[in-house]
């Protein structure tokens, strides 16, 4: 059994317009790194955090809380040290806290000899995610762990369905350098919705899932519509409408708010289209004076994974 490992915890896009709190995808090339060590003393200790100002106290840290949930369930006669190297900005809307929570349970599980499957680890990761967002939800931690697309069919009991991505699907993500807390984004939502909007939304979600299984890019694009959450949240993101329209004008299947924002995502077919959309979004947002990052990514099929030391 290994005594030390290093892992990659990828960024994710949740909601995807039509799938609020139930749908997510895993990104390639964007993510955190974490190091785990077995130590004689029982418990979980965070020994180093780089790239972000986060609590070192285990019970206050997203990764620490998730790790403790798993360790408490197994109760091994040894403990763990964790290093967290953040490369996903907090509050970016591409699963920063989820990467920490998912990475924590993946790493601990590896050093325990894999007593749990990746699907089973989602439940433990949700405990950590609740520290960041105020509620246990799996739309980011599930794709981070499992890769591909994930659909949370239900929480009681938890049921997560992993779906392979169509081969030529690309994601473009624009992250403005402003922080938007998930709790603030949730505060603007309405507790009730109209029947007409609900029918439209669940039709789009069903269409999107069908489009994934059949690799029907046109159907995916027609289904990437949000009539419930986006109208309320988009005012929190500077120049959202202009950037979304730019992406659509340059060939995006659809575009919307990544997670709780402020990142804006677009999906498209083909790398050349993705690069054209990236340039157009960059040119458009450069005029705002707000600093930003831009990423182009295929859909990551692996999810959280081991790195060679």
């Amino acid at each position: 059994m290994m005594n030390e490992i290093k892992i990659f915890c990828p960024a994710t896009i949740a909601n995807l317009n039509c799938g609020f709190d139930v749908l997510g995808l895993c990104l390639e090339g964007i993510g955190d790194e974490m190091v785990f060590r077995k130590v004689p003393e029982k418990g979980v200790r965070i020994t180093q955090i780089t790239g972000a100002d986060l609590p070192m106290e285990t019970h206050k840290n997203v990764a620490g809380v998730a790790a403790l949930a798993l360790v408490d369930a197994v109760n091994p006669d040894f403990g763990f040290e964790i290093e967290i190297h953040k490369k996903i900005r907090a509050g970016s809307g591409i699963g920063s806290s989820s990467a920490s929570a998912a990475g924590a349970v993946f790493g601990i599980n590896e050093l325990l000899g894999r007593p749990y499957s990746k699907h089973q680890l989602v439940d433990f990761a949700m405990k950590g995610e609740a520290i960041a967002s105020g509620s246990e939800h799996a739309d980011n931690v599930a794709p981070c762990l499992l890769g591909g697309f994930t659909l949370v069919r239900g929480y009681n009991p938890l049921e997560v369905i992993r779906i392979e991505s169509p081969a030529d699907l690309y994601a473009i993500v624009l992250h403005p350098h402003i922080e938007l807390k998930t709790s603030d984004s949730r505060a603007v939502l309405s507790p009730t919705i109209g029947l007409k909007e609900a029918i439209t939304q669940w039709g789009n979600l069903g269409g999107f899932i069908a489009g994934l299984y059949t690799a029907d890019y046109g159907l995916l694009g027609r289904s990437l519509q949000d009539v419930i959450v986006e109208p309320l949240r988009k005012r929190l993101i500077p120049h959202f409408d202009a950037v979304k329209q730019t992406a659509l004008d340059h060939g995006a299947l659809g575009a919307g708010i990544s997670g709780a924002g402020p990142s804006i995502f677009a999906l498209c077919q083909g790398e050349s289209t993705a690069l054209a959309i990236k340039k157009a979004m960059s040119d458009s947002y450069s005029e705002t004076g707000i600093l930003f990052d831009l990423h182009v990514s295929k859909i990551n099929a692996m999810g959280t994974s081991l790195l060679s030391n």
Side-chain angles (χ1 to χ4, degrees):
M1 193 180 296
M2 295 174 290
N3 292 315
E4 179 174 336
I5 57 170
K6 184 177 183 179
I7 69 170
F8 176 71
C9 322
T12 49
I13 299 173
N15 300 338
L16 296 167
N17 293 3
C18 54
F20 179 71
D21 268 9
V22 299
L23 196 60
L25 67 77
C26 188
L27 294 168
E28 275 189 355
I30 315 164
D32 297 340
E33 294 180 0
M34 300 176 74
V35 177
F36 297 81
R37 298 182 189 89
K38 287 171 60 176
V39 294
E41 184 181 350
K42 295 181 71 172
V44 176
R45 285 163 296 284
I46 299 170
T47 60
Q48 185 180 8
I49 300 175
T50 63
D53 183 16
L54 297 171
M56 295 288 289
E57 298 93 339
T58 305
H59 66 284
K60 294 181 181 179
N61 186 287
V62 167
V65 170
L68 285 172
L70 178 53
V71 169
D72 288 347
V74 178
N75 193 27
D77 58 2
F78 52 88
F80 304 89
E81 291 181 348
I82 304 175
E83 295 179 14
I84 305 170
H85 302 288
K86 296 296 294 179
K87 299 182 182 181
I88 310 171
R89 290 175 181 264
S92 61
I94 53 173
S96 179
S97 61
S98 301
S100 296
V105 296
F106 177 88
I108 297 290
N109 192 58
E110 288 290 313
L111 292 183
L112 287 170
R114 299 182 187 169
Y116 294 99
S117 70
K118 276 190 170 185
H119 269 88
Q120 291 172 319
L121 291 177
V122 172
D123 195 34
F124 294 108
M126 287 167 53
K127 311 301 182 190
E129 178 73 328
I131 297 296
S133 66
S135 64
E136 293 186 15
H137 57 100
D139 54 336
N140 281 111
V141 292
C144 183
L145 278 165
L146 302 174
F149 284 82
T150 55
L151 172 69
V152 183
R153 194 219 53 82
Y155 283 96
N156 229 350
L158 179 66
E159 184 178 355
V160 176
I161 301 162
R162 185 189 180 282
I163 306 168
E164 290 287 348
S165 172
D168 210 22
L169 193 64
Y170 282 77
I172 306 96
V173 182
L174 185 150
H175 169 224
H177 288 191
I178 59 172
E179 184 171 349
L180 181 55
K181 293 182 179 179
T182 301
S183 56
D184 294 337
S185 288
R186 284 188 173 267
V188 303
L189 301 180
S190 171
T192 59
I193 59 174
L195 181 60
K196 179 180 178 182
E197 288 75 21
I199 292 169
T200 299
Q201 198 84 340
W202 64 53
N204 283 330
L205 178 57
F208 191 83
I209 298 301
L212 291 177
Y213 276 111
T214 59
D216 186 333
Y217 293 93
L219 179 56
L220 291 173
R222 295 192 300 276
S223 302
L224 277 167
Q225 309 294 331
D226 179 4
V227 298
I228 295 174
V229 177
E230 183 180 293
L232 299 174
R233 279 184 169 173
K234 67 180 184 178
R235 65 177 181 268
L236 301 176
I237 303 171
H239 312 284
F240 171 80
D241 284 331
V243 175
K244 177 177 179 176
Q245 192 58 52
T246 296
L248 295 174
D249 289 344
H250 288 79
L253 299 169
I257 301 169
S258 177
S263 287
I264 304 165
F265 81 92
L267 297 183
C268 72
Q269 181 179 5
E271 184 178 15
S272 60
T273 302
L275 294 175
I277 294 169
K278 177 186 178 182
K279 183 180 186 306
M281 291 173 72
S282 177
D283 291 345
S284 172
Y285 217 77
S286 293
E287 298 175 0
T288 69
I290 301 171
L291 295 176
F292 63 93
D293 300 319
L294 256 173
H295 308 282
V296 172
S297 170
K298 291 205 75 174
I299 311 306
N300 179 345
M302 289 186 61
T304 305
S305 56
L306 288 169
L307 293 172
S308 57
N309 289 323

